[in-house]
Amino acid sequence: MMTASLAILYEHPAWFEPLFAALDRRGVDFVKVHSSDHRFDPAGSPPPAPLIFNRVAMSSFLRDADHSIFYTMALLDHWRGAGARVINGPEAMAIDASKARQLSLIERLGFATPRTRAVHRARDVVAAAQEIGFPLLVKANVGGSGAGITRFSSLAELEAAAADTMLPTSIDNVLLVQAYATARGGKITRVETLAGKFLYAIDINVDDSGFDLCPADACQIPGRSLTMTSVTPPAEQIAAAEAIVQAAGIDIGGVEYVIDDADGMARFYDINGLSNFVAKPLDVLGWDPHERLVDHLETLIRQKEIA
């Protein structure tokens, strides 16, 4: 039986404490549903609330070999079929779980992406790389927090890694071979959206120490400091990010792009259905996006109650 107005499905033990605290401050009636040790009956199992907020991250496979990524898609579809409204539902999660699908969607919308080849056999990576050129990245199709990304500077380096079975792996066996775009100014831009509209954007510095550019405290690498700066991107980049999340069916999420130093073009390369808002938002942004998120959730709760 439904016991609350809102249920938050999640797996990371720390990332959503600021959201839980904001909901508590507002007096929102919500229940936490952890994806571990969860089961459902396809012939029953009613949703725990009329409004479900999905916060299961693609990087969950890094924390638990028995991750719930694909289970969550089935669960959300079941709950929605039982009458719940789902925020960031199974279709959005399916896009989030495939970088290849993300790039195809972005290209269909008419926006630039890094030159890429998708393969489903590791032995095809070298041939794909020869079509792309060097330097390049080999990426896991299902990633998160920078996982499963390796940079190769030459064919010989890539061939040696392939021979030693040292290429990245993906939990769905799909790999992307992608041209390495040198970031103009040494930064990438992450645009966060809410209800399909621009919420805020930050520039994040990039260096050679890794690809984990997650802006939340909980997923920064110990000893590594990311510089994050609040920015307002050009109107065309904001419009592109909004179009991308709307086409992906992502209610709340982020889009990342880099200005390619070779030609000055904005290249979109990642759609993130799980928004870990920037750490210390009052310092970086001057305001807390969790308050706007709770405003939105309260509106959806009222709409569900009226319906």
Side-chain angles (χ1 to χ4, degrees), residues 179-204:
Y180 181 81
T182 300
R184 180 162 292 183
K187 62 189 180 184
I188 64 97
T189 300
R190 179 175 175 129
V191 178
E192 295 289 355
T193 63
L194 176 62
K197 295 296 183 181
F198 176 77
L199 182 62
Y200 70 84
I202 53 174
D203 279 348
I204 306 174

Side-chain angles (χ1 to χ4, degrees), residues 9 38 40-50 52-54 56 68-94:
L9 178 66
H38 195 277
F40 76 93
D41 176 1
S45 296
I52 309 292
F53 188 14
N54 171 31
V56 173
S68 64
I69 292 173
F70 302 108
Y71 170 84
T72 296
M73 296 184 201
L75 176 62
L76 295 175
D77 188 65
H78 171 75
W79 279 345
R80 187 174 59 187
R85 177 168 181 176
V86 179
I87 305 171
N88 284 13
E91 293 83 6
M93 199 172 179

Side-chain angles (χ1 to χ4, degrees), residues 44-185:
S45 296
L51 182 67
I52 309 292
F53 188 14
N54 171 31
R55 299 281 76 192
V56 173
M58 293 304 104
S59 60
S60 59
F61 75 91
L62 298 171
R63 293 177 286 277
D64 187 351
D66 297 321
H67 63 84
S68 64
I69 292 173
F70 302 108
Y71 170 84
T72 296
M73 296 184 201
L75 176 62
L76 295 175
D77 188 65
H78 171 75
W79 279 345
R80 187 174 59 187
R85 177 168 181 176
V86 179
I87 305 171
N88 284 13
E91 293 83 6
M93 199 172 179
I95 291 289
D96 196 11
S98 174
K99 294 183 184 300
R101 290 187 64 180
Q102 292 174 20
L103 294 172
S104 292
L105 174 63
I106 294 167
E107 286 285 347
R108 287 197 302 272
L109 293 172
F111 307 120
T113 64
R115 191 168 63 258
T116 305
R117 299 291 185 272
V119 303
H120 68 95
R121 303 184 305 181
R123 62 180 178 270
D124 294 329
V125 165
V126 171
Q130 290 173 311
E131 297 177 9
I132 297 295
F134 293 85
L136 57 75
L137 304 175
V138 177
K139 292 184 174 182
N141 191 47
V142 184
S145 298
I149 304 177
T150 304
R151 185 181 188 273
F152 294 96
S153 299
S154 68
L155 179 60
E157 183 183 359
L158 178 63
E159 287 177 330
D164 293 337
T165 63
M166 296 297 290
L167 293 175
T169 58
S170 181
I171 57 176
D172 65 351
N173 290 330
V174 177
L175 294 176
L176 275 64
V177 182
Q178 187 171 90
Y180 181 81
T182 300
R184 180 162 292 183

Side-chain angles (χ1 to χ4, degrees), residues 5 20 35 62 85-86 99 133 138 161 168 186 226 231 250 255 269:
S5 299
F20 298 152
S35 63
L62 298 171
R85 177 168 181 176
V86 179
K99 294 183 184 300
V138 177
L226 296 179
V231 296
I250 291 176
V255 176
Y269 63 88

